[in-house]
Amino acid sequence: MSQSYPPDPSNRQSNPRFDEVIAIIVALATMGTILFWVLSHPNRKLTTTPNQTAPETQTSTTDQTFSQILERSLPDGVSPLPPPTSQPTTPSPTPQPTVNQPWWVALGLIPQTTPDTPIATSPPAQVPPVPPQTTTLNPRETLCPTPSQGGKVCLTTPPPLETPSSTVPDQSWASPFVAYFMSKNWATGSDQKPFQPDEKITRGEFAAQLQRAFNQQPEQSPIQFKDVPKNFWAKPALKEVSQSGFLVGYPGNIFRPKQEIPRVQVLVALASGLELKPSKNPQQTLKLFKDMDQIPEWAVEGVAAATEAGLVVNYPDKNTLNPNQSATYGEVASMIYQGLVYQKKVEPISSDYIVNSR
């Protein structure tokens, strides 16, 4: 049995591992103190805001302090790890929103890393395209020049009335005369009714055609017709043609605007408004017509004067007048056109139905 001796105190100083143990104990005590401090303040949240300094400087300072502690705690003969190689400087990332971090990250003990998964953000709201606003306009409306897209609706001058060409068949004998009326937008009847060549015409509609074609200057006072309402569509035309001498109506200031007008009245009205007079015996002129005996006595001179001036147009027989037959739009258009030829306002139209007394 060997005898044991108490340890020599002088050998304790020469043992290098005693210092290393002390250093480790100090390090653990320091970390325990920090952990105790953090755990004793549960209500204090450790948050960090993005550091505006260069990441390279902050990381190097932390790594240097931590490496010094480790170097002193290593045993003799153990070399510390080589310092990390410096990485090339990269542009600092865009600051991220402030979030709660672990205490060891907040104290810089472990470098903070950016999570691989980016923070989810809600996609922008998809706004469906708004279709442009449209405004339905009638022929008497248009859009005001306003900045807004919809704009305001303003009244404007209505476009010229267009009469469909189908209302005048090409085979119609009156188509050359009616075509002129259509080019002047005169080919309308009451309430903008389309102009039909073979349709009967009323006294009010005939007055409107006279006003549009001749537009004579008034020479006498207008006649206040008793049977014409104040809101009658052709009342302005009746006033003008009565002042210019085309139509005077029936005795007692009666006009009968809705009555169909006979052909003889059309010829007498044209002769009166154009101030035509027969140059010879009316009976001699009227011998051209097979039915001259059907001409009323009061209309003999007027019809004779219109015949001499070349206003009479007879269809289908040029020598048959049919004086008491209701006139059609085509017949009225052709006779009014011949009146314009007499005034030398238009060029003559060649037609087999124009009566020539010469």
Side-chain angles (χ1 to χ4, degrees):
M1 177 178 296
S2 61
Q3 185 179 358
S4 61
Y5 296 96
D8 189 1
S10 59
N11 294 335
R12 184 179 302 176
Q13 295 180 355
S14 61
N15 190 357
R17 294 190 177 275
F18 180 77
D19 296 334
E20 297 172 359
V21 172
I22 295 300
I24 292 174
I25 293 174
V26 172
L28 292 176
T30 302
M31 295 174 62
T33 303
I34 294 173
L35 178 61
F36 175 78
W37 183 85
V38 172
L39 296 177
S40 63
H41 296 78
N43 295 330
R44 178 175 298 180
K45 297 181 180 180
L46 296 178
T47 59
T48 59
T49 56
N51 193 354
Q52 301 299 326
T53 61
E56 182 179 358
T57 304
Q58 181 180 358
T59 305
S60 62
T61 303
T62 305
D63 294 345
Q64 183 177 4
T65 303
F66 192 67
S67 63
Q68 290 176 358
I69 297 174
L70 293 178
E71 184 178 357
R72 288 196 299 268
S73 62
L74 291 175
D76 294 340
V78 178
S79 61
L81 295 175
T85 57
S86 60
Q87 299 296 331
T89 304
T90 58
S92 54
T94 304
Q96 300 295 330
T98 301
V99 295
N100 294 332
Q101 300 174 347
W103 62 270
W104 54 85
V105 176
L107 294 178
L109 299 180
I110 298 178
Q112 181 180 358
T113 58
T114 304
D116 295 334
T117 305
I119 299 176
T121 58
S122 59
Q126 299 294 331
V127 180
V130 180
Q133 299 180 358
T134 57
T135 305
T136 304
L137 305 177
N138 58 44
R140 295 180 179 268
E141 297 177 345
T142 185
L143 285 178
C144 292
T146 56
S148 60
Q149 185 176 5
K152 297 180 180 179
V153 176
C154 302
L155 293 180
T156 184
T157 304
L161 179 66
E162 296 182 0
T163 304
S165 58
S166 59
T167 59
V168 185
D170 294 337
Q171 64 272 19
S172 174
W173 67 271
S175 59
F177 305 102
V178 177
Y180 176 80
F181 273 64
M182 293 177 61
S183 67
K184 297 294 184 180
N185 292 322
W186 297 344
T188 55
S190 61
D191 300 327
Q192 304 298 310
K193 181 174 59 178
F195 195 101
Q196 300 290 343
D198 297 331
E199 187 176 348
K200 305 298 182 180
I201 187 172
T202 64
R203 287 171 54 83
E205 293 167 345
F206 175 63
Q209 298 299 330
L210 290 174
Q211 179 196 32
R212 295 164 183 163
F214 295 104
N215 195 20
Q216 299 282 77
Q217 295 297 325
E219 298 180 357
Q220 55 192 16
S221 300
I223 300 175
Q224 301 296 330
F225 297 108
K226 298 178 181 179
D227 58 340
V228 178
K230 293 182 179 180
N231 59 348
F232 185 62
W233 67 273
K235 188 170 184 179
L238 298 182
K239 177 181 177 181
E240 183 174 322
V241 297
S242 65
Q243 287 181 291
S244 57
F246 280 99
L247 292 170
V248 295
Y250 294 95
N253 295 339
I254 300 298
F255 189 81
R256 299 175 185 172
K258 296 183 180 181
Q259 183 186 58
E260 294 179 358
I261 187 169
R263 286 168 48 86
V264 65
Q265 292 186 13
V266 173
L267 293 172
V268 172
L270 289 172
S272 175
L274 298 177
E275 300 180 353
L276 303 178
K277 301 293 181 181
S279 61
K280 55 184 178 180
N281 187 351
Q283 297 294 334
Q284 187 68 27
T285 302
L286 296 179
K287 287 181 179 180
L288 294 171
F289 306 116
K290 302 175 183 179
D291 52 355
M292 62 172 296
D293 57 333
Q294 298 181 15
I295 300 175
E297 185 65 27
W298 59 269
V300 170
E301 289 189 4
V303 173
T307 303
E308 290 183 12
L311 275 56
V312 180
V313 182
N314 293 333
Y315 174 82
D317 182 9
K318 183 167 61 174
N319 295 324
T320 302
L321 183 62
N322 294 320
N324 299 309
Q325 178 178 298
S326 297
T328 64
Y329 275 101
E331 292 171 343
V332 168
S334 61
M335 294 179 184
I336 289 179
Y337 188 90
Q338 289 302 109
L340 296 174
V341 172
Y342 175 81
Q343 291 182 325
K344 298 182 179 180
K345 293 182 179 180
V346 296
E347 295 295 327
I349 292 178
S350 177
S351 175
D352 295 335
Y353 308 107
I354 299 175
V355 177
N356 187 359
S357 62
R358 299 175 183 175

